[in-house]
Amino acid sequence: SVSSPPLIPREMVTYPERTVTVALDKSTLDFLLSTSSAAQYLQNLSTSIRPDVAYFISFHAPALIAPILSSLFAFVAPTSLPRSSSSSSNLPSPPHDVAGSSTAWNSDGTFKPDQTYQTTVWLYKCSSILPPDHSMISKSLSLSLDNYYTVVSPMLTPSAEQRLRISWGEEARAIEGAYDIMFPDEGLKECYGVEDFRGDYKEWVGGQ
């Protein structure tokens, strides 16, 4: 996996140890999962909160988030909730199946959120915080993300790999050309632009 540069939001502050009774995360972890700051964020949270309860609101299903939170909390209870917005008000309610999953990836590796993904959020209630350990959290994050995106909901499926090999051909490609082949879906390009791709490529090359 490609590591991202550290991201330290201005609003990220560290509270005195064990002074927060209840913590509510509204998709902050979702955002930080694509950066190298996720482990530090979770460690800050576990240090400042009392051994009581934390709530995480996430767009991601338990298959991805539960293993991450389980590395920090002794008990994690996920519940699916319908989104309340004008864009989804006319859509049928998604199934409330804790064991269920939703994904934004098609079987060919393209970014196409299904209806459940678009109309559902997940609430994770966590309690009994374990002693924080940054290396343990970082390792759990890396293993959980790698397992999810390579095994549970793989981004590179056999059909996606075949499409890439056919589109790529035998010739060398410039960064822009490689980006267009690897990310043909406009929805994904809105989330991950060519400059993001260029930066990740340079970091990956530098780490070889």
Side-chain angles (χ1 to χ4, degrees):
S1 60
V2 178
S3 60
S4 302
L7 177 66
I8 310 221
R10 296 179 192 172
E11 296 77 11
M12 185 182 287
V13 295
T14 301
Y15 292 94
E17 187 172 338
R18 303 304 182 208
T19 57
V20 178
T21 303
V22 176
L24 175 63
D25 171 298
K26 185 178 181 296
S27 296
T28 303
L29 180 60
D30 285 358
F31 172 71
L32 291 178
L33 284 178
S34 62
T35 77
S36 59
S37 298
Q40 185 62 53
Y41 167 71
L42 288 171
Q43 185 180 31
N44 288 347
L45 174 65
S46 63
T47 301
S48 60
I49 195 171
R50 296 176 183 175
D52 198 349
V53 65
Y55 294 93
F56 291 83
I57 298 175
S58 174
F59 293 117
H60 298 302
L64 173 59
I65 298 297
I68 295 173
L69 295 179
S70 295
S71 70
L72 187 62
F73 298 91
F75 176 75
V76 179
T79 303
S80 62
L81 302 170
R83 295 194 204 183
S84 219
S85 68
S86 57
S87 61
S88 62
S89 59
N90 295 325
L91 295 175
S93 298
H96 291 246
D97 179 9
V98 172
S101 181
S102 63
T103 178
W105 300 98
N106 275 348
S107 59
D108 65 355
T110 55
F111 183 73
K112 291 289 184 182
D114 61 20
Q115 188 180 72
T116 301
Y117 186 93
Q118 294 183 21
T119 60
T120 304
V121 293
W122 288 85
L123 173 66
Y124 297 87
K125 180 181 179 182
C126 310
S127 61
S128 299
I129 295 178
L130 301 173
D133 182 280
H134 188 273
S135 61
M136 177 190 72
I137 297 172
S138 296
K139 182 178 180 180
S140 177
L141 279 168
S142 179
L143 291 175
S144 296
L145 291 172
D146 284 348
N147 180 69
Y148 184 79
Y149 286 113
T150 59
V151 179
V152 179
S153 183
M155 295 172 65
L156 184 62
T157 61
S159 58
E161 182 178 357
Q162 182 181 27
R163 175 184 61 79
L164 287 172
R165 290 185 180 279
I166 293 174
S167 300
W168 194 283
E170 300 297 329
E171 60 190 275
R173 300 282 179 176
I175 287 290
E176 292 77 7
Y179 172 77
D180 287 335
I181 291 174
M182 296 177 69
F183 303 98
D185 185 84
E186 293 302 322
L188 182 55
K189 286 182 176 179
E190 292 179 5
C191 304
Y192 183 72
V194 66
E195 291 305 318
D196 298 317
F197 177 70
R198 189 191 306 277
D200 283 343
Y201 175 74
K202 288 182 178 179
E203 185 171 343
W204 177 77
V205 170
Q208 298 302 300

